[in-house]
Amino acid sequence: MRKNMWEDYWTQYERFNGKNISLTEAQMIHQELLKQHEEIAQEIVGSIDRNDYVKLSLLITRRKRVKTALNELLSLYADELSSVQSFRDQISTGLRDCAQMIEEKGEELLLDLGDTLDMLNQSAHTKASKALDYTSKVFSRSNQLHHKAALFVVKQTSTSLTKLADIIKK
């Protein structure tokens, strides 16, 4: 009895609100109407290319009917159709929004990235130049010290050999 009362209440509620089909059926109808709308739009472009104005007027009339049906369906099920968005649709929407944002801000980001890379390149060039200068100075100083050490060794060896020669001579 309780089930019958609930069904009666729900049927009256649907009649009162104009909703007499289930949400899944409404979603299927919505998807089908969107698909038909896209197909009609493509056919309209084709008929314009072929200069077929009779077919164009028929297609425009058909598109108006589909659009009216879509608007009616959305007016009845707007909240339910938007809230029961599938995970795939959410991902698709997110990716589409990201693509639009990248399209709008992409050039600015590329310019900023280019400027940053130029500054990084200049900084790296400056640091490498300083490192080469420092290394060159270190090698130069090392060569000077090596030369002094070699002169000292040669001088000491020469002096020692002279002393040894004098000792041997005596």
Side-chain angles (χ1 to χ4, degrees):
M1 169 124 179
R2 183 175 175 148
K3 186 176 181 181
N4 288 340
M5 286 178 53
W6 176 252
E7 289 176 0
D8 289 341
Y9 170 75
W10 187 251
T11 305
Q12 290 173 0
Y13 172 79
E14 287 176 338
R15 283 188 196 139
F16 179 72
N17 289 321
K19 299 178 181 179
N20 59 357
I21 58 174
S22 70
L23 183 58
T24 56
E25 290 173 333
Q27 288 174 338
M28 289 178 10
I29 292 169
H30 183 257
Q31 292 298 324
E32 185 62 33
L33 287 172
L34 287 175
K35 185 179 171 183
Q36 285 180 10
H37 192 269
E38 288 178 24
E39 289 172 358
I40 291 171
Q42 291 174 356
E43 288 180 31
I44 287 174
V45 170
S47 65
I48 290 172
D49 289 342
R50 291 186 303 273
N51 291 331
D52 189 358
Y53 295 107
V54 174
K55 185 173 183 179
L56 179 64
S57 67
L58 293 173
L59 288 171
I60 290 174
T61 304
R62 199 167 132 208
R63 183 179 64 181
K64 284 181 186 177
R65 287 185 200 145
V66 169
K67 191 67 174 169
T68 303
L70 269 171
N71 289 338
E72 287 295 321
L73 188 64
L74 286 175
S75 69
L76 292 174
Y77 291 95
D79 296 333
E80 290 89 355
L81 288 175
S82 63
S83 66
V84 185
Q85 191 177 24
S86 71
F87 182 68
R88 180 179 276 171
D89 291 340
Q90 291 174 354
I91 291 174
S92 173
T93 304
L95 290 173
R96 188 175 298 115
D97 293 344
C98 286
Q100 288 174 350
M101 183 187 74
I102 288 172
E103 184 178 336
E104 293 169 359
K105 307 268 182 184
E107 189 172 340
E108 293 173 19
L109 291 173
L110 285 175
L111 291 174
D112 291 344
L113 181 65
D115 293 342
T116 304
L117 287 175
D118 285 341
M119 288 180 2
L120 181 65
N121 188 19
Q122 289 174 353
S123 175
H125 180 71
T126 303
K127 297 296 181 192
S129 177
K130 286 181 181 179
L132 285 174
D133 288 343
Y134 181 73
T135 304
S136 174
K137 288 177 183 178
V138 166
F139 281 138
S140 176
R141 183 68 180 151
S142 173
N143 284 340
Q144 288 173 358
L145 290 174
H146 179 67
H147 184 67
K148 284 183 180 181
L151 283 176
F152 177 75
V153 169
V154 167
K155 192 174 191 178
Q156 287 297 323
T157 305
S158 165
T159 307
S160 296
L161 284 174
T162 305
K163 285 182 183 179
L164 184 64
D166 288 340
I167 292 176
I168 293 176
K169 190 176 184 182
K170 287 182 183 182

